Amino acid sequence: MENYIKTFDTITIDDVPIVGGKNASLGEMFQKLTSKGIKVPDGYATTASAYWHFLDDNHIRSQLFGTLGQLDRKDFSNLHEVGAQARGLILKATFPKAIKKAVEEGYDALTEKYRGELSLAVRSSATAEDLPNASFAGQQETYLNVKGKDELIAACQKCYASLFTDRAIKYREDNHFDHSKVALSIGIQLMVRSDLACSGVNFTLDPDTGFEKVVLVSSSWGLGENIVQGAVNPDEHYVFKPSLEKGYRQPIISRKLGSKRKTMVYDTSVSGTVNLDTNAERQQQYVLSDEEVLKLARWSVIIEQHYGRPMDIEWAKDGQTNELFIVQARPETVWSMKKDRLKITTYSLLEKGREITKGMGLGNRISAGRARILHSPKESDKLLEGEILVTERTDPDWDPILKKAGGIITDQGGRTSHAAIVAREMGAAAIVGTLNATKLIKDGQEITLSCAEGDAGIVYDGILEWDEKEVDTSNLRKPRTQPMLILADPDQAFKLSYYPAEGVGLMRLEFVINNAIQIHPMALKHFDTLKDVSAKREIERLTHHFPDKANYFVHKLAEGVATIAAAFYPKDVIVRTSDFKTNEYANLIGGREFEPIEANPMIGFRGASRYYHPKYQEAFELECRAMKMVREEMGFENVKVMIPFCRTLKEAKKVVDLMATYGLGRGENGLQLYMMVEIPNNVVLAEEFAQYFDGFSIGSNDLTQLTLGVDRDSGLLSDIFDINDPGIKKMLAMVLASAKRTHTKIGLCGQAPSDYPEFAHFLVENGIDSISFNPDALINGIRNINIAEERKVTFGMAASSN
């Protein structure tokens, strides 16, 4: 018995050669982490020596490896035949008496310890399994709900045979494992009845980007195979580790409801499993409570800290006892092996085709695909994933569609239009202001968008070849002037956290409101009195998890902000409160009942003026509640709040005082308030505005528009809209000087310092503290800042020597 089985309480991670990675990890956790509150189902494992004894007692070792020696290692044309022959040798063999005796004695010990009929999980664990450079997960078989000694011995023999599944053979070949050096251990473990409850997989980092400050908890109804095999879209919760460890009330920063259309349960008629359709009510329920999510996240962090590396963890909930258990833990093997995360891609065309049209190029990238001409968001079903959207113009109603597009081309709009802003946020190639794209490009035509040829974006006929090069940002010198990012989409945050930015200088809430929330906040506050029946029905569908519908807005907004705040923690994330125009607010679900019709929304009922007005004040309270939740319940004290379009000093006082009544008092818990400088009055009275705010952020687009009297979206006046105009520079120099006199932090958000080195030099020369860029412009922006700072030092030294 001693040679052929080991109980979990005698197994450690050092026993990988004896019981394989899976069983060694289970034993390690059972021994060393149970005392820390982690529950691991008890059990035992057969050893590698038992496997070799199985082969030798049946005299099949040489025949088995001789069969594997016949494998076509070039094309694997006979893989299926070789695998079937190898498995046949195992399944036809006699189970040796000595191993059978040891397995049955282990079974008897468990029966005596836990009193009653046992239901077991029987899992395969190869001795090369789950090593740091190879995740053997899923290569061999697992058998669930095994009862009685006869079923147990049969399951063990099938586990041995599963070492030679086609996928297991191919995996070892691909990873250069010698078949004759790999043995199989069998884990025999008390069954967790997750068929009556739920199960899932945790990662102690974000599996898509490798971001390490979160735990991803995914969950679905029934047995865990559905998630492992990718057969269902599970619920997903992201938990922020620092807030979890510091004991904040709500460390969950994101939750997404999965469809969970299938539930795997036991099929007692055939001693197997069956996948049933999940009923509609359960599909619309979250599988786990927040308390259960946090317990699993805490366990995951403990496991990660114990092993000293990111982990991939499987868990299950017992439907009979409602207890949670960890049933597997193995090293994460994708991101933990990657070293080069600080690279950014640049693009250049290798050939030139026939030019169809041109406009302003955005995104500093190249894209190609089939053109799809749409005239309204209502035609969204015509746009296939990856096609190039060609349209007259876009507004926030297009946002859900734009994510599908491989590129964007518009007739109208300038460099700061909606299409331009959204394209940058999504990292998509876009050409705006062509004037004639919808007339010259044919629907279905194959085209190439080049935004890598300076300011101009050119549309070429056909699919052209281009080159992509990576820039290693680890060697980029860090300037004294802080380079920061402009962000809106939380889905991009973890990826962008690797960029060499000192935080987020502008987080725009409009993207979260338009995409994640979709509903006008006043429609949520006054749901019961809404007149629009269809809007009411849609609101009910979206908010059914929230008895208080206003809480839907607060929680969704808080999660969007928290995700971006987490990505850059502990660096500053400056969040601008909502700055939709009335026509854009009206397009939100239920919005038309609450928004006036204005002739010129750009300078109408927007920004600070809304916040204290009876038509919106209740909604502004919801925004403040969300920011308070982010800072105080979720732990993101790196979040600062910025007020847009604040016209007068009286307005500044009203808004600051109102925020204090909503729990966002300036200076409380370190809260800093910022103001956008985008109105000439902000410049003229900057020193007076500094009495109410801790920092300023120059909104160069609105300031240029209002100083020059130019509609920033007008293609006809695009030549006049110039941030390098002497009047604009004088305004900027004035506000920068005022900020220095009042010791108020000041930055600028915009593209110009990346596009124009001389403009970057102007800002640095005038002592700006930070400059915020869209992600595609960050690297060039940093280079321009570095050059400007070097020139400033050189000129300063020359001046002092004279």
Side-chain angles (χ1 to χ4, degrees):
M1 176 177 177
E2 293 176 357
N3 292 328
Y4 297 141
I5 70 166
K6 282 178 72 73
T7 55
F8 281 179
D9 59 6
T10 66
I11 295 173
T12 71
I13 199 64
D14 296 328
D15 291 320
V16 171
I18 299 172
V19 296
K22 186 184 298 180
N23 289 331
S25 181
L26 285 169
E28 176 81 7
M29 291 188 294
F30 187 84
Q31 265 206 65
K32 300 179 181 178
L33 299 183
T34 300
S35 62
K36 296 185 178 181
I38 294 177
K39 294 184 178 181
V40 179
D42 200 354
Y44 59 101
T46 65
T47 61
S49 60
Y51 168 76
W52 297 122
H53 179 71
F54 181 96
L55 299 186
D56 293 338
D57 193 64
N58 284 281
H59 307 289
I60 59 173
R61 190 191 290 224
S62 59
Q63 187 179 357
L64 178 64
F65 297 123
T67 299
L68 292 169
Q70 298 171 15
L71 183 66
D72 172 12
R73 287 179 167 81
K74 181 181 179 183
D75 300 318
F76 295 95
S77 58
N78 62 344
L79 174 61
H80 182 68
E81 291 78 7
V82 167
Q85 290 176 33
R87 293 191 298 276
L89 285 171
I90 301 289
L91 293 172
K92 291 174 184 176
T94 302
F95 206 89
K97 291 180 180 179
I99 306 176
K100 182 178 180 182
K101 180 174 182 292
V103 170
E104 290 180 344
E105 286 177 0
Y107 177 89
D108 289 337
L110 279 180
T111 303
E112 184 177 347
K113 187 174 181 179
Y114 292 98
R115 307 220 173 258
E117 183 185 21
L118 299 182
S119 175
L120 300 172
V122 181
R123 307 178 188 276
S124 307
S125 181
T127 57
E129 188 173 347
D130 301 325
L131 294 176
N133 63 340
S135 176
F136 231 106
Q139 302 307 313
Q140 287 81 226
E141 300 296 342
T142 292
Y143 299 93
L144 304 175
N145 202 29
V146 174
K147 296 180 179 180
K149 293 179 180 179
D150 291 343
E151 280 190 26
L152 175 58
I153 297 302
C156 287
Q157 189 154 356
K158 286 188 282 187
C159 280
Y160 280 150
S162 75
L163 188 58
F164 302 99
T165 61
D166 296 353
R167 63 180 181 272
I169 294 171
K170 182 65 163 55
Y171 182 86
R172 291 195 294 275
E173 290 288 332
D174 291 343
N175 288 276
H176 308 292
F177 285 107
D178 184 340
H179 298 290
S180 66
K181 301 290 178 61
V182 177
L184 191 99
S185 167
I186 302 165
I188 299 162
Q189 190 177 26
L190 294 176
M191 185 70 208
V192 179
R193 292 301 304 268
S194 59
D195 60 308
L196 304 176
C198 58
S199 53
V201 176
N202 297 356
F203 282 89
T204 61
L205 48 60
D206 173 39
D208 292 329
T209 65
F211 180 68
E212 294 183 347
K213 291 181 182 176
V214 291
V215 176
L216 170 62
V217 179
S218 58
S219 54
S220 191
W221 299 114
L223 299 170
E225 274 61 28
N226 273 343
I227 288 185
V228 174
Q229 296 167 7
V232 294
N233 291 325
D235 295 343
E236 292 184 348
H237 292 76
Y238 278 97
V239 181
F240 188 56
K241 292 178 190 174
S243 295
L244 182 71
E245 291 166 0
K246 291 176 184 176
Y248 278 95
R249 181 180 172 187
Q250 184 53 278
I252 299 172
I253 62 171
S254 172
R255 44 171 69 73
K256 293 180 181 176
L257 185 71
S259 57
K260 309 179 295 291
R261 291 181 178 173
K262 293 290 183 178
T263 300
M264 185 176 286
V265 297
Y266 297 128
D267 184 352
T268 53
S269 63
V270 294
S271 299
T273 59
V274 61
N275 238 348
L276 303 177
D277 291 334
T278 308
N279 65 51
E281 183 180 355
R282 274 197 145 192
Q283 287 185 45
Q284 291 300 314
Q285 291 176 6
Y286 280 105
V287 168
L288 296 172
S289 67
D290 282 2
E291 291 76 15
E292 289 171 324
V293 169
L294 294 178
K295 175 181 277 191
L296 287 168
R298 289 188 191 97
W299 286 1
S300 298
V301 170
I302 291 170
I303 293 168
E304 178 182 53
Q305 291 173 344
H306 180 76
Y307 285 107
R309 59 180 299 134
M311 298 295 288
D312 170 358
I313 299 162
E314 293 182 29
W315 58 268
K317 181 179 178 181
D318 193 302
Q320 295 176 328
T321 65
N322 287 325
E323 292 178 291
L324 292 166
F325 292 89
I326 299 297
V327 294
Q328 282 192 47
R330 51 184 164 261
E332 190 278 334
T333 58
V334 178
W335 289 101
S336 57
M337 303 296 290
K338 291 189 177 181
K339 306 297 181 186
D340 300 325
R341 303 193 198 182
L342 301 177
K343 292 184 177 178
I344 296 174
T345 307
T346 60
Y347 300 76
S348 58
L349 275 176
L350 296 177
E351 58 178 324
K352 292 290 180 76
R354 180 179 67 85
E355 182 179 311
I356 301 174
T357 187
K358 66 166 57 175
M360 294 177 225
L362 308 161
N364 194 31
R365 63 183 64 232
I366 298 171
S367 182
R370 194 176 300 278
R372 189 62 59 207
I373 298 176
L374 303 182
H375 301 286
S376 163
K378 295 177 181 177
E379 299 178 292
S380 63
D381 59 313
K382 297 180 181 178
L383 183 72
L384 302 180
E385 191 82 28
E387 289 186 333
I388 309 299
L389 171 65
V390 183
T391 189
E392 287 84 2
R393 59 184 293 274
T394 70
D395 58 33
D397 284 346
W398 289 82
D399 283 359
I401 307 163
L402 297 179
K403 279 196 169 187
K404 292 167 59 178
I408 303 165
I409 304 172
T410 67
D411 289 344
Q412 304 168 23
R415 202 170 288 280
T416 58
S417 63
H418 176 266
I421 290 169
V422 172
R424 290 194 192 103
E425 289 165 354
M426 296 191 309
I431 300 174
V432 300
T434 62
L435 302 179
N436 53 18
T438 55
K439 296 179 176 64
L440 298 182
I441 298 172
K442 297 176 182 177
D443 191 53
Q445 181 178 359
E446 289 187 332
I447 57 173
T448 298
L449 289 72
S450 175
C451 302
E453 302 176 60
D455 283 351
I458 303 172
V459 182
Y460 295 101
D461 184 28
I463 307 293
L464 305 181
E465 291 187 18
W466 69 85
D467 184 43
E468 300 180 15
K469 290 182 180 177
E470 287 186 328
V471 178
D472 187 350
T473 65
S474 61
N475 298 320
L476 200 62
R477 184 171 67 79
K478 182 179 178 181
R480 289 183 296 275
T481 306
Q482 286 189 311
M484 303 180 82
L485 285 171
I486 301 170
L487 288 184
D489 185 357
D491 290 345
Q492 302 293 322
F494 293 163
K495 177 184 72 176
L496 295 173
S497 70
Y498 297 107
Y499 280 38
E502 293 302 310
V504 177
L506 171 62
M507 181 196 167
R508 297 169 55 246
L509 290 185
E510 294 78 34
F511 187 93
V512 176
I513 294 171
N514 203 48
N515 290 274
I517 297 173
Q518 303 180 50
I519 305 167
H520 195 291
M522 293 295 283
L524 292 165
K525 286 290 292 184
H526 298 277
F527 175 77
D528 292 338
T529 58
L530 271 184
K531 299 172 184 175
D532 187 332
V533 176
S534 63
K536 210 166 183 178
R537 189 183 308 116
E538 183 64 6
I539 291 170
E540 191 67 65
R541 183 185 71 82
L542 290 170
T543 64
H544 69 277
H545 289 112
F546 293 85
D548 181 346
K549 301 201 178 300
N551 283 339
Y552 168 84
F553 185 93
V554 174
H555 282 261
K556 287 285 189 180
L557 189 61
E559 288 178 7
V561 173
T563 299
I564 291 179
F568 294 92
Y569 182 87
K571 297 174 182 176
D572 287 352
V573 173
I574 301 172
V575 180
R576 187 184 70 187
T577 47
S578 66
D579 193 27
F580 280 127
K581 286 70 175 177
T582 48
N583 57 319
E584 295 167 345
Y585 270 115
N587 288 333
L588 295 171
I589 297 169
R592 300 200 182 278
E593 292 184 32
F594 300 95
E595 294 298 331
I597 297 174
E598 295 185 295
N600 193 350
M602 187 69 78
I603 55 173
F605 188 44
R606 63 174 286 202
S609 300
R610 295 182 67 93
Y611 302 156
Y612 56 85
H613 195 284
K615 283 184 173 294
Y616 193 79
Q617 186 174 328
E618 290 176 296
F620 183 60
E621 181 184 3
L622 300 184
E623 292 188 40
C624 291
R625 281 174 54 192
M627 295 306 103
K628 185 176 173 65
M629 176 183 288
V630 168
R631 286 179 49 82
E632 298 179 12
E633 296 184 26
M634 304 172 97
F636 296 105
E637 293 182 0
N638 59 323
V639 166
K640 304 175 189 300
V641 180
M642 182 157 64
I643 303 302
F645 224 75
C646 186
R647 293 173 168 93
T648 67
L649 295 171
K650 186 184 293 186
E651 192 162 72
K653 185 178 188 309
K654 280 185 179 180
V655 172
V656 171
D657 288 348
L658 184 61
M659 292 176 73
T661 66
Y662 294 149
L664 289 179
R666 181 185 175 198
E668 293 181 13
N669 298 315
L671 174 63
Q672 291 188 356
L673 300 183
Y674 276 56
M675 181 189 78
M676 292 288 293
V677 173
E678 47 196 345
I679 300 168
N681 200 36
N682 300 149
V683 176
V684 174
L685 296 178
E687 293 182 40
E688 288 80 3
F689 276 108
Q691 298 174 33
Y692 300 101
F693 298 101
D694 302 287
F696 295 144
S697 179
I698 301 166
S700 56
N701 293 326
D702 268 329
L703 186 60
T704 302
Q705 172 177 248
L706 294 172
T707 301
L708 298 180
V710 176
D711 180 354
R712 72 187 201 185
D713 288 334
S714 172
L716 296 173
L717 300 176
S718 59
D719 290 343
I720 301 174
F721 188 91
D722 183 8
I723 198 169
N724 284 299
D725 184 274
I728 302 301
K729 283 192 169 181
K730 191 167 185 177
M731 295 288 279
L732 293 174
M734 285 173 59
V735 74
L736 288 167
S738 295
K740 292 305 169 190
R741 284 193 291 272
T742 58
H743 305 287
T744 306
K745 292 180 181 178
I746 186 164
L748 178 140
C749 301
Q751 200 80 355
S754 174
D755 292 342
Y756 309 111
E758 287 302 318
F759 189 74
H761 176 71
F762 165 78
L763 294 174
V764 170
E765 186 70 27
N766 282 274
I768 199 159
D769 295 310
S770 66
I771 303 175
S772 300
F773 303 95
N774 287 296
D776 65 301
L778 179 68
I779 300 305
N780 204 47
I782 292 175
R783 288 172 176 154
N784 286 345
I785 293 173
N786 279 330
I787 292 168
E789 289 183 348
E790 289 167 7
R791 288 173 60 186
K792 185 177 181 181
V793 170
T794 302
F795 292 156
M797 291 173 62
S800 63
S801 65
N802 292 331

